[in-house]
Amino acid sequence: MILAGDIGGTKTLLGLYEGGNPRDQRNSRPLRVLEKSYPSRRYPTFDLVLEEFLSEAKSTLSDSLTITFASFGVAGPVVHGRCETTNLPWVLDTDSLSTLLSIDRSRVFLINDLAAIAWGTMFSSEKNLIVLNEGVPDKQGNQVIVAPGTGLGESIIAYPTSGPIVISTEGGHSDWAPGNPDDFPLFSYLWARYGHVSIERLVSGQGLANLYRFYTRNLEQSNLPLDPLLSDEMIPAALTHAAMTLKNPLCTRILDYFCSLLGQEAGNMVLKSLATGGVFLAGGIPEKILPFLLNSSFMEHFTNKGRYTKLLENIPVRIVNDPEIGILGAWAYATSHQ
């Protein structure tokens, strides 16, 4: 029995699984015994979430429930088995988790959430991968995952002869550079507000809010396309609804600009890791704006790399439309490292 978790800034998904064969990738999905979702921000610590889940598992399944391995993908840098989450006031470490779960520390795995998503892409069904650009796949080439959600996560999969290696990154916090002179006012606006302009300030849920605030900064309240009382946390959902359903011109423009920035950053990741094996777009946002993204300016900006435009045109781009990709990856990591 494996306990797996996908710990994000918005929600935490925990589940118990058994079976599955990590060597039979695409057909290896395990049997789900129990799975629950929790709103992350309602809990001051992860331990409280885990304790609630374990209590329910024992009452639902058996008091003698035995967990053999535990694996958690968490949004934040994991160093020596410890993680201070980026968008939550939580600290997780394998020592305390092993104590809480009453299993040996060597059987508890804590990995970056984008590393979990990377592992999940190797096991997710093809039906959950939607093609944005067919490209010319290189089966031995590196792959990258770019995942805008509450924040922006990025990871790399390398394929040496010994088998896949997942490389965690904190690339979402690297600097954003304007792609053309029209971007300079936006850069100045964000620099004045934050003092450092990372790509996550634009390509994420908070990025959608930042873009909306920038584009509407000089409008009277009566001319705003969204309710002026909306918080930054509520703007992304309202903006995408206004763009995709209500066809509001300004919100449509903002959302398309967001897609162009996502394309720009995905192209940057390809060049930095020579990801001829392709790009996976994951995270909560791409699947929520899927119809819009498929017809957006993403590919125009993804391929706009000067002398390397032809290379980018041949890179496969797929959208991961699997809400369980992170927890599936946490399970896959545990089964592959037993």
Side-chain angles (χ1 to χ4, degrees), residues 137-144 156-160 273-278:
D138 176 2
K139 292 183 179 180
Q140 299 303 314
N142 296 338
Q143 297 174 328
V144 294
I156 303 167
I157 309 174
Y159 284 95
S273 56
L274 195 57
T276 54

Side-chain angles (χ1 to χ4, degrees), residues 113-114 117 144-155 200 203-204 262 279-286 325:
D113 61 331
L114 261 291
I117 290 175
V144 294
I145 292 86
V146 179
T150 305
L152 175 64
E154 299 176 338
S155 60
E200 184 179 75
V203 183
S204 63
L262 175 58
V279 175
F280 294 99
L281 299 179
I285 295 179
I325 192 75

Side-chain angles (χ1 to χ4, degrees), residues 116-198:
I117 290 175
W119 278 98
T121 61
M122 293 183 255
F123 292 82
S124 186
S125 170
E126 290 288 353
K127 69 181 181 181
N128 294 324
L129 301 176
I130 299 166
V131 175
L132 185 55
N133 187 49
E134 190 70 43
V136 182
D138 176 2
K139 292 183 179 180
Q140 299 303 314
N142 296 338
Q143 297 174 328
V144 294
I145 292 86
V146 179
T150 305
L152 175 64
E154 299 176 338
S155 60
I156 303 167
I157 309 174
Y159 284 95
T161 55
S162 58
I165 296 174
V166 173
I167 303 168
S168 302
T169 84
E170 287 297 328
H173 299 284
S174 59
D175 300 336
W176 172 67
N180 60 67
D182 292 338
D183 289 338
F184 291 160
L186 174 61
F187 178 86
S188 297
Y189 170 83
L190 292 173
W191 185 84
R193 187 173 183 183
Y194 296 110
H196 172 250
V197 187
S198 69

